[in-house]
Amino acid sequence: MARSSSGESVLTRAVRILEAFSPQEPVLTVSQISRRAALPLATAVRLVEELTRHGLLARDEQRRVRIGNRLWELAQRASPMRTLRETAMQFMGDLHGVVGHSAQLGILDGEEVLFIERLIAPGAVVTVTQIGGRLPLHASSAGLVLLAHAPADVRDRVLRGPLQTYTPHTITDQRALRTALAEVRRNGFAFCPGHIRPNATGISVPVRVAGRVVAALGLVVPNDEHAWSLVRSLQITGMALSRALDVRAGLL
Amino acid sequence: MARSSSGESVLTRAVRILEAFSPQEPVLTVSQISRRAALPLATAVRLVEELTRHGLLARDEQRRVRIGNRLWELAQRASPMRTLRETAMQFMGDLHGVVGHSAQLGILDGEEVLFIERLIAPGAVVTVTQIGGRLPLHASSAGLVLLAHAPADVRDRVLRGPLQTYTPHTITDQRALRTALAEVRRNGFAFCPGHIRPNATGISVPVRVAGRVVAALGLVVPNDEHAWSLVRSLQITGMALSRALDVRAGLL
């Protein structure tokens, strides 16, 4: 692999450039990129130039830089999550239509939930998640569902902590977390009133393919006495989605 | 930029590797990658190795290779299409709930429509589009909407052709296309019965931010006498979505 004098490969530097962008700052100047990616300006200029030629980055009218459509397209079209996302969106649309709250879909990635789809209800309780956003496994309802069904080594590492506190209701004690995970497995859902934001309740259920949990489907609703009544609709939707995925996988 | 003996940069080769994957074949062996990207096996092995280390590719249990979640996440989180897609999905969910057909959202990319979101109705007429899929501008209803509002140079290039035929109803004549575009601008929608598939009608409307057309919102419905009655619902949805985008952009 071709390396710079610092021993870093071109790919490593290109990835650092892509990582300089964020939802909060999707548009950057080349000097901002050079600072954030900790690259000499000349190197940043050259790499941005080449990434732009490949369509992985793009320039706006003021020559500022953003992620290019081509990167999105390459990532999208062959993503193993494509069938999951597309099928889930149909059910999330139905759920949204019937219960009228924000719905989201998360997968286990490393030791976090990676949210791969969301449907925001107009006037929804603020959700902390965003597409492509992440949350720790112990704090979110989607995380509890995924952690309850995660490989033992992932579960052990997360249980050893540290477990970040968001509100007084966040589960931050190892024993309490172990009990919560056993409940999630027994009940078939995670119900988390105020675990991340005092005014919001997260509810999530497992999504399975061939019996194996591949994702968590969740709602974010106000933290009030109505929240509990939504658990059943969500459970039914999770089961229907799992069934549809089995059909698409040729298992039914 | 570091180059191989063939004069190609590492980035060019990495992009060719990513391009080897497709919706039809999202999982490949390294030898398949080497053949498709026209790279020596040793080079493919080394680059796949490094791309995997960065999470841009991932290996499954049989050591076959697929697009990594990290690539998807990087492309997703700072995409300039994020606000558009997220806002549009709410309205597409509503549309889907009320009219019960597949909805999709396309943007102009080069001289094609790039579809960035779709919601498939169960039992829908087959749609030819997929997320991250493309269609020519002259043939699809989304394309006609985008082309009607495209910069003059794009319009001129597309009008000069060639204009691919899909069915006897595809518009393939330069003058007919010019007339169709004027109608789309006047009517505020494109109505394309059987232009791509005999049994399907595409209907699309413009999505605007600050008056400028940024996307086309469309339905794919059966090519029958009911199709026409859906135009109004779609137009209303397109206007509502445009208004919501203006609100999110701080314009209203």
Side-chain angles (χ1 to χ4, degrees):
Chain A
M1 188 63 41
R3 282 171 202 288
S4 71
S5 54
S6 64
E8 259 186 352
S9 80
V10 171
L11 275 180
T12 303
R13 296 175 153 212
V15 169
R16 277 233 300 287
I17 288 182
L18 298 178
E19 286 173 342
F21 297 87
S22 72
Q24 290 70 42
E25 291 175 290
V27 180
L28 297 171
T29 64
V30 177
S31 16
Q32 287 173 318
I33 291 172
S34 129
R35 272 199 302 282
R36 282 181 206 197
L39 291 174
L41 185 59
T43 308
V45 166
R46 209 174 54 230
L47 276 170
V48 165
E49 176 59 36
E50 188 173 2
L51 287 165
T52 304
R53 212 157 48 232
H54 289 296
L56 307 187
L57 295 177
R59 299 266 198 176
D60 66 12
E61 302 75 27
Q62 294 109 62
R63 309 242 331 128
R64 292 177 312 170
V65 184
R66 57 171 182 78
I67 294 289
N69 290 345
R70 182 76 182 140
L71 180 65
W72 179 86
E73 189 182 5
L74 284 174
Q76 186 69 41
R77 64 176 190 181
S79 165
M81 305 181 288
R82 212 167 63 90
T83 301
L84 172 61
R85 288 182 55 228
E86 286 190 13
T87 311
M89 276 312 289
Q90 304 172 7
F91 290 86
M92 290 166 74
D94 296 344
L95 198 60
H96 172 76
V98 173
V99 311
H101 291 292
S102 301
Q104 53 204 26
L105 184 73
I107 60 170
L108 180 67
D109 193 67
E111 290 169 28
E112 289 172 311
V113 191
L114 172 63
F115 288 95
I116 60 170
E117 207 50 90
R118 69 169 180 175
L119 203 46
I120 313 163
V125 218
V126 177
T127 64
V128 287
T129 54
Q130 59 198 15
I131 302 180
R134 291 170 175 273
L135 279 178
L137 292 168
H138 72 284
S140 57
S141 64
L144 291 182
V145 165
L146 295 170
L147 192 56
H149 299 279
D153 59 318
V154 174
R155 202 151 61 226
D156 290 347
R157 273 199 305 278
V158 172
L159 279 162
R160 276 201 301 274
L163 302 172
Q164 196 195 329
T165 303
Y166 288 84
T167 72
H169 297 286
T170 314
I171 304 173
T172 53
D173 171 73
Q174 188 185 129
R175 225 168 103 190
L177 182 53
R178 213 177 272 284
T179 308
L181 295 178
E183 268 176 29
V184 167
R185 276 189 297 268
R186 195 169 54 242
N187 298 335
F189 62 85
F191 187 81
C192 302
H195 286 210
I196 296 188
R197 293 280 177 96
N199 64 337
T201 294
I203 320 173
S204 290
V205 298
V207 177
R208 296 170 199 267
V209 174
R212 200 168 62 85
V213 174
V214 296
L217 176 69
L219 287 172
V220 179
V221 306
N223 184 359
D224 62 24
E225 71 281 13
H226 302 300
W228 186 255
S229 69
L230 298 168
V231 172
R232 281 200 190 142
S233 310
L234 186 62
Q235 280 188 289
I236 298 286
T237 310
M239 288 171 195
L241 170 56
S242 302
R243 216 174 286 281
L245 288 168
D246 280 347
V247 171
R248 288 195 66 166
L251 297 167
L252 284 184
Chain B
M1 190 62 42
R3 280 171 202 288
S4 71
S5 53
S6 64
E8 258 187 352
S9 80
V10 171
L11 275 181
T12 302
R13 296 174 153 215
V15 169
R16 278 233 299 285
I17 288 183
L18 297 178
E19 287 173 343
F21 297 87
S22 71
Q24 290 70 42
E25 291 175 290
V27 182
L28 298 171
T29 64
V30 177
S31 15
Q32 287 173 316
I33 292 173
S34 129
R35 271 199 303 282
R36 281 181 206 197
L39 292 174
L41 186 59
T43 308
V45 167
R46 209 173 55 230
L47 276 169
V48 165
E49 177 58 38
E50 187 172 3
L51 287 165
T52 304
R53 212 155 51 232
H54 289 296
L56 306 188
L57 295 176
R59 299 266 198 176
D60 66 13
E61 302 76 26
Q62 293 109 62
R63 309 242 331 127
R64 291 177 313 170
V65 184
R66 57 171 182 78
I67 295 289
N69 289 346
R70 182 77 182 139
L71 180 64
W72 180 86
E73 189 183 6
L74 284 174
Q76 187 68 41
R77 64 175 190 183
S79 165
M81 304 181 288
R82 212 166 62 89
T83 302
L84 173 62
R85 288 182 55 228
E86 286 190 12
T87 311
M89 275 311 289
Q90 305 172 6
F91 290 86
M92 289 166 73
D94 296 344
L95 198 60
H96 173 77
V98 173
V99 310
H101 291 292
S102 301
Q104 53 203 29
L105 184 73
I107 60 170
L108 180 67
D109 193 67
E111 291 170 28
E112 289 173 311
V113 191
L114 172 63
F115 289 94
I116 60 171
E117 206 53 90
R118 69 169 181 175
L119 202 48
I120 313 163
V125 216
V126 177
T127 64
V128 287
T129 54
Q130 57 198 19
I131 302 180
R134 292 170 175 271
L135 278 178
L137 292 169
H138 72 283
S140 58
S141 64
L144 290 183
V145 165
L146 294 170
L147 192 56
H149 299 278
D153 59 317
V154 174
R155 202 150 60 225
D156 290 346
R157 273 200 303 278
V158 172
L159 279 162
R160 276 201 300 275
L163 302 171
Q164 197 195 329
T165 303
Y166 288 83
T167 73
H169 296 286
T170 313
I171 303 174
T172 53
D173 170 74
Q174 189 185 127
R175 225 167 103 190
L177 182 52
R178 213 178 274 282
T179 307
L181 296 178
E183 267 176 30
V184 167
R185 277 189 297 268
R186 194 169 57 241
N187 297 336
F189 61 86
F191 186 80
C192 301
H195 286 209
I196 296 188
R197 293 279 177 98
N199 64 336
T201 294
I203 320 173
S204 290
V205 298
V207 176
R208 296 170 199 268
V209 173
R212 201 167 63 84
V213 174
V214 297
L217 177 69
L219 287 172
V220 179
V221 307
N223 184 1
D224 63 22
E225 71 282 11
H226 302 299
W228 186 256
S229 68
L230 298 167
V231 172
R232 282 201 189 141
S233 310
L234 185 62
Q235 281 189 287
I236 298 285
T237 310
M239 289 172 194
L241 169 56
S242 301
R243 217 175 286 282
L245 287 168
D246 279 347
V247 170
R248 288 195 66 165
L251 296 167
L252 282 184

